[in-house]
Amino acid sequence: MEYLEVFIDHNMDKLANIFYMELDEERNQIRVVEKHRNGSIGYADLNQAVNEAFLAKEKYPIIEDLNAIDECIAKKISKEKFEKVWEFALKQGKNL
């Protein structure tokens, strides 16, 4: 598994701008947390989707390709960090 944090610099309030994700060995998203500029959070996994979050249908690009996009900053994170973000999102989702 690989864990990423991806920041996308845009001015669209309705779209998420920070993504935390868990990828399998083939670079498919298994779980994702989306944070919006207004503070709202969405999440999705293979069984559920909350607050309009969704898993990518295509294999996720490698970090080097993501960082080649001017508006994008991607970095690997630890499984522990991802799990903390995921647990926070699940708790927030109960309040939506």
Side-chain angles (χ1 to χ4, degrees):
M1 296 289 186
E2 184 174 7
Y3 302 90
L4 299 180
E5 177 181 356
V6 180
F7 172 77
I8 300 175
D9 187 20
H10 62 70
N11 294 324
M12 296 174 267
D13 287 336
K14 293 184 179 182
L15 298 178
N17 68 325
I18 302 175
F19 300 83
Y20 298 90
M21 65 194 71
E22 176 180 46
L23 304 175
D24 67 13
E25 294 78 19
E26 296 178 3
R27 305 201 62 74
N28 296 303
Q29 284 185 334
I30 303 300
R31 296 185 288 173
V32 66
V33 175
E34 302 179 355
K35 292 178 74 174
H36 296 245
R37 298 180 83 152
N38 66 5
S40 68
I41 293 176
Y43 60 90
D45 62 17
L46 298 173
N47 300 311
Q48 62 185 337
V50 173
N51 202 14
E52 300 182 27
F54 60 91
L55 298 178
K57 294 180 181 179
E58 304 292 325
K59 294 185 186 307
Y60 212 77
I62 61 172
I63 288 178
E64 293 80 9
D65 290 347
L66 292 168
N67 286 328
I69 302 169
D70 288 339
E71 299 84 15
C72 190
I73 299 170
K75 64 181 180 180
K76 288 185 181 184
I77 60 172
S78 68
K79 177 179 180 174
E80 293 77 20
K81 179 171 181 175
F82 176 82
E83 294 296 346
K84 285 180 183 177
V85 171
W86 181 255
E87 289 300 319
F88 179 79
L90 291 178
K91 289 177 186 172
Q92 292 295 325
K94 292 178 183 175
N95 298 322
L96 296 175

